[in-house]
Amino acid sequence: MFFGCLAGLLLVDSRFGGRKCQLLAATVLMGPPLVLAGFALMYILPRDAAKDITTTSTDLPSTAMPGVPMSTSAASMTGSQLSTVVTTTLMQDTQQDSLLPLAHIVTMVCVIIYGVGFQFAWGTVPWIYPAEIFSMREKETAVSIAVCLNYVANAAVVIITPFLMTWSTPGTLFFFGALNCLNFVFVSLFVKETKGVPLEEAPRLFDDDDYDSSDESGSEE
């Protein structure tokens, strides 16, 4: 995850990256692997073993849950929540039954890819994007609301994920995979690229459909 975050920060203002394109790329890295991991647990594992994984996830100590302690950054909480719970559960189960390594390996690899994808964009861009798109008159209030909602959303993931895992581990992976598909649609339709756009010009991206941010980006280069 560290390397995903580092790559995202290095690319976000480079000519190879940007806010919108990295969010879209990260969503592609996050959604499909979660769906694949869910199918791995459903169809590679025997049915009884899949039930055991769901049961084991409810017995994890609180220190195994990401976001605990809460002193870790909110950005890393969401991306590591699923990663730590699923990976710890599968590692414990692998020790109990050495005949079921394939589904465990597939799931852990997929969840790690998800975590790297999260840190590549969704762990960083939402913290800087709100400060770029509002006018100076709106900025203070808007950024405060955005940061508050970001923390609330992260807290919600920390709270609901253990309950979802109790219900169904594959179902949890499908649920978050589906949310990432919705993220892709949302970013495609509503997020504007702000790379290279002067702060005073950024609000025009949402007010003027004819405004082309690529002109500003080109002038910056």
Side-chain angles (χ1 to χ4, degrees), residues 89-106:
T89 300
L90 293 177
M91 288 177 65
Q92 290 179 348
D93 199 64
T94 299
Q95 295 171 356
Q96 297 170 3
D97 191 344
S98 60
L99 299 178
L100 304 171
L102 179 58
H104 299 163
I105 293 173
V106 170

Side-chain angles (χ1 to χ4, degrees), residues 128-175:
I128 60 177
Y129 192 73
E132 298 177 331
I133 62 176
F134 295 100
S135 66
M136 295 304 296
R137 180 173 55 85
E138 304 165 328
K139 193 182 298 288
E140 183 176 346
T141 301
V143 171
S144 298
I145 293 173
V147 170
C148 176
L149 291 177
N150 206 344
Y151 274 105
V152 169
N154 283 312
V157 171
V158 171
I159 292 171
I160 70 171
T161 299
F163 294 101
L164 289 174
M165 295 283 291
T166 302
W167 162 65
S168 170
T169 302
T172 302
L173 298 172
F174 289 141
F175 173 73

Side-chain angles (χ1 to χ4, degrees), residues 2-220:
F2 168 78
F3 294 105
C5 184
L6 180 62
L9 290 174
L10 292 175
L11 289 174
V12 71
D13 282 318
S14 73
R15 68 178 191 174
F16 301 105
R19 282 71 166 154
K20 183 172 184 175
C21 67
Q22 285 185 218
L23 289 174
L24 291 173
T27 303
V28 172
L29 283 174
M30 294 164 64
L34 290 183
V35 175
L36 178 60
F39 279 117
L41 291 182
M42 285 185 64
Y43 295 109
I44 298 179
L45 283 181
R47 185 168 299 178
D48 292 341
K51 290 181 180 179
D52 290 342
I53 287 179
T54 301
T55 303
T56 306
S57 67
T58 65
D59 300 329
L60 292 175
S62 60
T63 53
M65 299 294 181
V68 182
M70 294 294 287
S71 59
T72 58
S73 68
S76 63
M77 280 196 296
T78 307
S80 61
Q81 173 72 13
L82 274 175
S83 304
T84 303
V85 173
V86 175
T87 303
T88 305
T89 300
L90 293 177
M91 288 177 65
Q92 290 179 348
D93 199 64
T94 299
Q95 295 171 356
Q96 297 170 3
D97 191 344
S98 60
L99 299 178
L100 304 171
L102 179 58
H104 299 163
I105 293 173
V106 170
T107 303
M108 284 190 284
V109 169
C110 289
V111 173
I112 289 171
I113 293 174
Y114 160 83
V116 173
F118 175 87
Q119 293 296 357
F120 180 69
W122 288 100
T124 53
V125 173
W127 296 100
I128 60 177
Y129 192 73
E132 298 177 331
I133 62 176
F134 295 100
S135 66
M136 295 304 296
R137 180 173 55 85
E138 304 165 328
K139 193 182 298 288
E140 183 176 346
T141 301
V143 171
S144 298
I145 293 173
V147 170
C148 176
L149 291 177
N150 206 344
Y151 274 105
V152 169
N154 283 312
V157 171
V158 171
I159 292 171
I160 70 171
T161 299
F163 294 101
L164 289 174
M165 295 283 291
T166 302
W167 162 65
S168 170
T169 302
T172 302
L173 298 172
F174 289 141
F175 173 73
F176 284 105
L179 288 181
N180 277 283
C181 293
L182 293 177
N183 275 344
F184 189 92
V185 175
F186 175 83
V187 173
S188 298
L189 295 178
F190 299 110
V191 173
K192 308 291 185 179
E193 182 56 67
T194 59
K195 182 186 67 175
V197 179
L199 289 178
E200 61 272 13
E201 297 291 333
R204 288 181 56 195
L205 294 171
F206 300 90
D207 297 333
D208 187 356
D209 293 335
D210 297 327
Y211 185 84
D212 187 2
S213 63
S214 61
D215 294 339
E216 296 290 345
S217 300
S219 63
E220 289 290 322

